């Protein structure tokens, strides 16, 4: 008999040797919320021409894939990569641009798609950086927001879920590159 291991939840959920962390937000809740966000974004950008979705690598890659496929408006995809944390949950200081957008966003409506907003510094940096490209507008969308951790004041136009200060993984988010491909949002240590 052939056993397809990837069909067994235990094997599908985590990478080899990675324990499955406790669930904070189940897969079904994420899907439902992304449906709502996609409806709202589609309504807000109706008749505005192409929307440029800029996914922030690496964390937003799964969120961007799911959100972008649920939109009902014309859209294009770009990626940008920044780095602010070095292999742990301790902030390393300034935000660093690792990869800029490739396409021309001048005169176009832009939506920055982030996995999570923690202190807000990454989003603040990205908005400033992308504004210098001369887009028609910039809005922001984050699957997760940690309101208690904010150190800078930055507007998030579309938020999936507000959470506490705990470190979360899965659905694109990692801890030192681990657990990105969990299908749900899990927490790996309690809030301080
Ligand atoms: P901020 O600049 O402090 O807002 O941090 C934003 C970035 O830090 C996010 O895009 C994530 O890459 C990372 N980050 C912050 N909190 C978490 C978390 O709980 N899990 C995984 N990544 C996180
Ligand atoms: Mg990120």
């Amino acid at each position: 008999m052939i056993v397809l291991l990837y069909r067994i939840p235990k094997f599908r959920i985590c990478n080899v040797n990675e324990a499955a962390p406790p669930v904070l937000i189940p897969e079904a809740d994420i899907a439902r919320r992304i449906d709502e966000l996609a409806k709202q974004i589609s309504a807000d950008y109706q008749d505005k021409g192409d929307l440029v979705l800029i996914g922030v690598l690496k964390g937003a890659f799964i969120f961007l894939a799911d959100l972008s496929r649920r939109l009902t408006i014309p859209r294009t995809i770009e990626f940008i990569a920044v780095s602010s944390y070095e292999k742990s949950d301790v902030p390393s200081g300034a935000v660093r641009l690792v990869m800029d957008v490739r396409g021309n966003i001048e005169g176009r409506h832009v939506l920055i798609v982030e996995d999570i907003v923690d202190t807000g510094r990454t989003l603040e940096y990205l908005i400033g950086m992308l504004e210098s490209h001369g887009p028609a507008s910039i809005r922001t969308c984050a699957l997760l927001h940690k309101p208690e951790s904010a150190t800078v004041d930055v507007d998030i136009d579309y938020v999936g879920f507000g959470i506490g200060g705990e470190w979360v993984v899965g659905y694109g988010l990692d801890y030192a590159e681990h657990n990105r491909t969990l299908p749900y949002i899990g927490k790996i240590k309690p809030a301080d």
Side-chain angles (χ1 to χ4, degrees):
M1 189 182 88
I2 297 169
V3 179
L4 297 172
L5 287 182
Y6 70 89
R7 292 195 176 219
I8 302 171
K10 184 170 92 175
F11 288 94
R12 188 168 65 90
I13 279 173
C14 46
N15 296 332
V16 177
N17 296 331
E18 270 185 18
V23 177
L24 181 66
I25 308 173
E27 207 176 343
D29 291 11
I30 298 172
R32 210 174 303 122
R33 186 70 188 117
I34 293 179
D35 271 344
E36 292 170 0
L37 288 174
K39 281 200 184 91
Q40 195 186 336
I41 294 166
S42 298
D44 291 353
Y45 286 91
Q46 199 72 48
D47 306 322
K48 285 199 172 169
D50 272 20
L51 175 64
V52 186
L53 300 163
I54 303 185
V56 186
L57 293 173
K58 300 177 191 169
F61 81 111
I62 294 177
F63 178 41
L64 178 74
D66 285 348
L67 179 71
S68 61
R69 289 180 297 171
R70 286 169 164 95
L71 295 175
T72 55
I73 48 167
R75 66 275 190 189
T76 59
I77 306 294
E78 293 286 338
F79 286 103
I80 200 163
V82 290
S83 166
S84 55
Y85 291 86
E86 304 287 341
K87 291 200 168 106
S88 75
D89 59 349
V90 182
S92 65
V95 180
R96 192 165 57 91
L97 182 67
V98 176
M99 187 190 85
D100 205 344
V101 284
R102 287 208 193 165
N104 183 9
I105 60 165
E106 193 179 342
R108 304 175 69 191
H109 294 289
V110 162
L111 181 65
I112 302 173
V113 180
E114 254 287 34
D115 52 356
I116 185 166
V117 177
D118 186 2
T119 64
R121 284 183 308 161
T122 304
L123 205 51
E124 182 187 52
Y125 168 83
L126 284 173
I127 293 168
M129 214 276 291
L130 292 169
E131 261 166 3
S132 68
H133 291 260
S137 70
I138 298 185
R139 282 192 190 170
T140 54
C141 174
L143 178 67
L144 305 171
H145 181 211
K146 294 180 179 175
E148 293 153 30
S149 311
T151 59
V152 297
D153 191 19
V154 63
D155 281 343
I156 315 171
D157 299 289
Y158 306 97
V159 179
F161 303 90
I163 62 169
E166 63 268 37
W167 195 262
V168 291
V169 292
Y171 202 74
L173 294 104
D174 73 310
Y175 178 74
E177 294 302 325
H178 292 282
N179 281 317
R180 270 196 209 282
T181 57
L182 276 181
Y184 61 88
I185 299 290
K187 52 184 172 183
I188 59 168
K189 74 177 189 190
D192 292 334

